């Protein structure tokens, strides 16, 4: 049961407000925004999606910079409320085409009509764009934006094109969000892919669609190999842990030829959601080193290396690293010839930020991008500086690239008339969900460690250098500024062999 629904801008302006039950005070939108903007509880920098203030439960999600908020005094399921907010945003986008503050203000009559049909006296009626067509009669004022193939963000499902005819086209997006945790030595501790196949149809007559996936697609971890990297273009089955399908999908021939048959409803909807935890080649490698250069100084080196093909572009790449609380100043040093890269030190939360607005990473030759940061402290460090720094996190978007190798082989449209051939757009997008290097490696001076004789041959091969051997025991001399964290696991022969 929902008491209120409202949409706020990033400035806190109330764009849309609907009170369904009248049991929550009128100033709830201002209370919510002040609480979110100045959130200081539980040591968190951002407000959680669900919290309670004076007996009122607030649920919110951020959609393209706008805050969609629901309130209630009843103890309802948070998952239900958050999913409802996402679906309301999706329905509004289906009708008005572009979801932003200006478009909401221009279409406020249509938006309020939609809200009255979606929720009645706090109870959800429907969030189906197709069903709402029978009850919503206002025409949208659609913003005309530049057409971008593969992304249906500028069209409404009910508005007509100039001349009274709609363009026959269908959009399919394969979106994968990656979660990876790296150890200090570069090993992958955890890895997971959350993927979805999104579809948005502008086809008249609701034709049947056949969407074919990989022939070697396997559902279930126990039906194929689990360990070992697979390149983006290499052989091997695509193994998904689990998946689920939209209610309109028919699976009659899915077991035989991995083909999905459906009659797409109006609006954007997920055809298939899937999850994969099998090891895969990460698109980026992150290395973070820190060295104390004095009693009040330290130096941080961040390196990111691309592991995908040279013809792929990575957009909106950003690296963040929390620094010790007593850091007062940071001086940055980018590599020579760096273009489109910006650095910043957020003194309020002691965080280093490195942005690459649009960079092309070349995998040939193991190319890397490096940032050096010289830290100045207000007090001498009394603890382990590596524990007071990090973890390093990374966000990015890689168009036309997916690491799971799940692909759409073909998209068939059963049209009775072939007068106009529909346009088909298929797009792949890889995004970072939680891309983290958990530990920071500490640089040391020259040192030496005793190594069991059983691993000396592997060391010789892995290091590619001459190793002095004693008749009693084997000893490896580390050159200055080699990271000790890289060698911690080398007492284990099996782990050394997999390095």
């Amino acid at each position: 049961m929902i008491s209120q629904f409202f949409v706020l801008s990033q400035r806190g302006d109330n764009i849309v407000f609907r009170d369904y039950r009248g049991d929550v005070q009128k100033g709830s939108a201002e209370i919510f925004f002040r609480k979110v903007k100045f959130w200081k509880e539980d040591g968190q920098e951002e407000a959680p999606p669900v919290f309670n203030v004076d007996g009122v439960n607030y649920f919110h999600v951020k959609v393209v910079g706008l805050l969609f908020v629901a309130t209630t005094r009843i103890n309802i399921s948070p998952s239900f409320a958050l999913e409802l907010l996402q679906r309301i945003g999706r329905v509004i986008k289906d009708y008005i085409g572009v979801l932003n503050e200006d478009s909401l203000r221009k279409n406020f009559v249509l938006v309020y009509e939609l809200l009255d049909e979606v929720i009645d006296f706090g109870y959800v009626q429907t969030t189906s764009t197709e069903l709402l067509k029978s009850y919503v009669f206002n025409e949208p004022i659609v913003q005309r934006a530049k057409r971008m193939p593969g992304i249906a963000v500028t069209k409404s499902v009910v508005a007509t094109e100039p001349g009274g005819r709609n363009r026959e086209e269908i959009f399919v997006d394969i979106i994968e969000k990656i979660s990876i945790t790296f150890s200090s030595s570069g090993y992958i501790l955890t890895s997971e892919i959350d993927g979805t196949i999104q579809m948005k149809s502008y086809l008249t007559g609701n034709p049947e669609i056949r969407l074919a996936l990989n022939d070697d697609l396997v559902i279930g971890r126990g039906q194929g190999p689990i360990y070992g990297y697979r390149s983006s273009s290499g052989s091997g089955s695509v193994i998904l842990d689990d998946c689920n399908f939209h209610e309109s999908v028919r699976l009659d021939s899915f077991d035989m030829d991995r083909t999905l048959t459906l009659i797409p409803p109006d609006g954007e909807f997920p055809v298939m959601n899937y999850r994969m935890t099998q090891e895969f080649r990460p698109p980026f490698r992150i290395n973070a080193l820190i060295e104390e250069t004095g009693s009040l100084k330290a130096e941080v080196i961040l390196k990111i290396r691309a592991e995908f093909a040279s013809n792929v572009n990575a957009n909106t790449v950003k690296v963040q690293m929390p620094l010790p609380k007593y850091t007062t100043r940071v001086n940055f040093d980018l590599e020579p010839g760096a273009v489109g890269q910006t650095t910043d030190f957020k003194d309020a939360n002691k965080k280093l930020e490195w942005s690459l607005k649009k960079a092309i990473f070349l995998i040939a030759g193991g190319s890397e991008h490096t940032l050096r940061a010289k830290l100045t402290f207000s007090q001498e460090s009394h603890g382990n500086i590596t524990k007071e720094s990090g973890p390093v996190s990374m966000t990015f978007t890689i168009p036309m690239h997916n690491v799971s190798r799940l692909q759409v082989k073909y998209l068939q449209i059963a049209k009775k008339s072939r007068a106009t051939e529909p346009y088909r757009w298929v797009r792949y997008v890889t995004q970072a969900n939680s891309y983290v290097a958990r530990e920071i490696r500490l640089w040391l001076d020259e040192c030496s460690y005793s190594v069991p004789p059983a691993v000396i041959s592997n060391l010789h091969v892995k290091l590619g250098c001459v190793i002095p051997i004693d008749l009693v025991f084997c000893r490896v001399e580390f050159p200055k500024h080699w990271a000790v964290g890289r060698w911690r696991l080398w007492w284990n022969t099996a782990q050394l062999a997999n390095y």
Side-chain angles (χ1 to χ4, degrees):
M1 184 187 300
I2 302 299
S3 298
Q4 295 173 335
F5 170 83
F6 50 89
V7 180
L8 302 181
S9 68
Q10 293 182 345
R11 304 180 305 274
D13 298 334
N14 208 335
I15 305 173
V16 176
F17 185 91
R18 175 64 80 198
D19 193 341
Y20 292 103
R21 301 186 63 83
D23 58 346
V24 176
Q25 63 269 30
K26 296 296 183 181
S28 57
E30 182 177 355
I31 295 173
F32 165 81
F33 186 74
R34 288 182 178 273
K35 194 71 175 177
V36 169
K37 186 175 182 180
F38 304 104
W39 185 268
K40 296 294 183 182
E41 298 181 13
D42 302 328
Q44 299 180 0
E45 299 176 0
E46 295 184 357
V50 181
F51 58 86
N52 183 285
V53 178
D54 297 331
V56 178
N57 298 315
Y58 291 86
F59 308 86
H60 76 281
V61 296
K62 185 174 288 187
V63 183
V64 292
L66 302 174
L67 290 170
F68 282 62
V69 189
T71 66
T72 181
R73 291 187 178 274
I74 307 300
N75 187 18
I76 64 174
S77 168
S79 299
F80 163 78
L82 297 177
E83 178 67 19
L84 173 63
L85 293 175
Q86 293 281 5
R87 293 197 181 191
I88 290 176
R90 192 179 304 150
V91 167
I92 294 175
K93 179 184 174 183
D94 288 340
Y95 271 82
I96 67 178
V98 181
L99 185 56
N100 56 33
E101 181 178 351
D102 186 45
S103 183
L104 284 175
R105 294 188 185 279
K106 288 182 178 179
N107 292 277
F108 73 95
V109 176
L110 173 59
V111 172
Y112 277 106
E113 187 178 9
L114 285 170
L115 292 177
D116 289 340
E117 297 297 338
V118 171
I119 301 176
D120 183 20
F121 196 61
Y123 294 95
V124 180
Q125 304 301 307
T126 182
T127 56
S128 170
T129 303
E130 189 171 13
L131 292 178
L132 287 170
K133 274 189 172 182
S134 304
Y135 306 101
V136 177
F137 301 99
N138 278 284
E139 288 290 329
I141 303 173
V142 180
Q143 291 183 341
R144 300 297 174 186
K146 182 179 179 181
R147 179 179 296 275
M148 296 177 61
I151 178 168
V153 298
T154 62
K155 293 184 63 177
S156 167
V157 296
V158 294
T160 56
E161 297 285 340
R165 293 186 62 185
N166 283 326
R167 178 169 170 167
E168 295 276 313
E169 55 188 342
I170 184 170
F171 297 83
V172 178
D173 290 344
I174 296 88
I175 303 174
E176 295 185 345
K177 296 184 178 181
I178 303 177
S179 299
I180 292 183
T181 303
F182 294 97
S183 69
S184 60
S185 52
Y187 289 97
I188 297 178
L189 300 177
T190 61
S191 60
E192 182 174 298
I193 297 176
D194 287 318
T196 181
I197 301 178
Q198 292 279 121
M199 181 178 289
K200 195 168 187 178
S201 173
Y202 297 95
L203 303 175
T204 58
N206 293 330
E208 183 180 89
I209 293 177
R210 291 174 59 85
L211 187 148
L213 304 177
N214 307 53
D215 291 332
D216 58 355
L217 178 63
V218 177
I219 310 297
R221 282 285 296 270
Q223 302 185 38
I226 295 178
Y227 300 103
Y229 287 135
R230 296 167 293 112
S231 64
S232 298
S233 59
S235 60
S237 300
V238 178
I239 304 175
L240 306 180
D241 286 45
D242 49 61
C243 62
N244 58 69
F245 303 92
H246 190 265
E247 57 187 11
S248 64
V249 176
R250 300 201 309 270
L251 304 175
D252 301 339
S253 59
F254 182 72
D255 289 337
M256 292 186 297
D257 55 10
R258 296 309 189 197
T259 301
L260 305 176
T261 306
L262 69 152
I263 298 177
D266 292 325
E268 186 175 0
F269 67 98
V271 177
M272 172 182 173
N273 297 308
Y274 59 92
R275 184 175 63 92
M276 188 179 85
T277 57
Q278 180 181 2
E279 290 189 10
F280 53 87
R281 180 178 292 277
F284 290 100
R285 289 280 184 178
I286 307 175
N287 288 312
L289 306 174
I290 188 167
E291 178 188 19
E292 294 190 52
T293 57
S295 59
L296 297 176
K297 294 183 179 180
E299 183 178 6
V300 172
I301 296 182
L302 295 177
K303 293 184 180 181
I304 55 176
R305 172 178 172 171
E307 298 285 345
F308 46 82
S310 59
N311 61 344
V312 176
N313 295 348
N315 301 329
T316 61
V317 180
K318 179 181 286 188
V319 180
Q320 294 183 331
M321 175 180 172
L323 301 175
K325 299 299 182 183
Y326 40 82
T327 304
T328 57
R329 188 172 69 253
V330 180
N331 296 323
F332 297 99
D333 183 17
L334 291 169
E335 55 191 354
V339 179
Q341 301 184 27
T342 59
T343 57
D344 191 16
F345 170 58
K346 303 293 185 181
D347 187 61
N349 52 10
K350 304 298 182 183
K351 185 175 292 186
L352 177 155
E353 291 187 357
W354 178 24
S355 300
L356 301 91
K357 294 184 178 179
K358 187 172 184 180
I360 300 178
F361 297 91
L362 303 179
I363 193 173
S367 61
E368 297 178 337
H369 286 252
T370 304
L371 170 68
R372 292 177 178 268
K374 296 181 180 180
L375 315 182
T376 302
F377 302 141
S378 60
Q379 67 182 44
E380 187 173 351
S381 176
H382 297 289
N384 189 340
I385 193 173
T386 61
K387 294 183 178 180
E388 300 177 10
S389 306
V392 180
S393 59
M394 187 176 184
T395 59
F396 55 82
T397 300
I398 310 177
M400 301 311 297
H401 177 76
N402 71 331
V403 295
S404 70
R405 298 189 303 111
L406 182 69
Q407 295 181 349
V408 176
K409 291 178 55 181
Y410 61 82
L411 187 64
Q412 290 184 348
I413 303 174
K415 295 286 289 184
K416 296 181 180 180
S417 174
R418 290 292 178 178
T420 58
E421 184 67 20
Y423 292 88
R424 302 169 176 85
W425 305 105
V426 178
R427 182 182 67 149
Y428 299 88
V429 179
T430 297
Q431 298 174 335
N433 184 32
S434 176
Y435 213 84
V436 176
R438 179 180 295 178
E439 298 177 358
I440 313 299
R441 291 187 286 179
L442 180 65
W443 289 16
L444 300 178
D445 293 332
E446 290 188 7
C447 57
S448 62
Y449 287 85
S450 296
V451 182
V455 301
I456 194 62
S457 58
N458 284 336
L459 280 173
H460 183 83
V461 174
K462 299 295 181 179
L463 296 180
C465 60
V466 178
I467 302 174
I469 301 177
D470 191 289
L471 294 177
V472 180
F473 60 89
C474 304
R475 182 176 295 274
V476 180
E477 299 292 340
F478 291 144
K480 187 176 182 178
H481 292 165
W482 278 22
V484 65
R486 189 169 183 174
W487 317 102
R488 287 175 183 163
L489 301 181
W490 278 23
W491 289 94
N492 188 317
T493 308
Q495 289 172 320
L496 170 62
N498 294 326
Y499 178 76

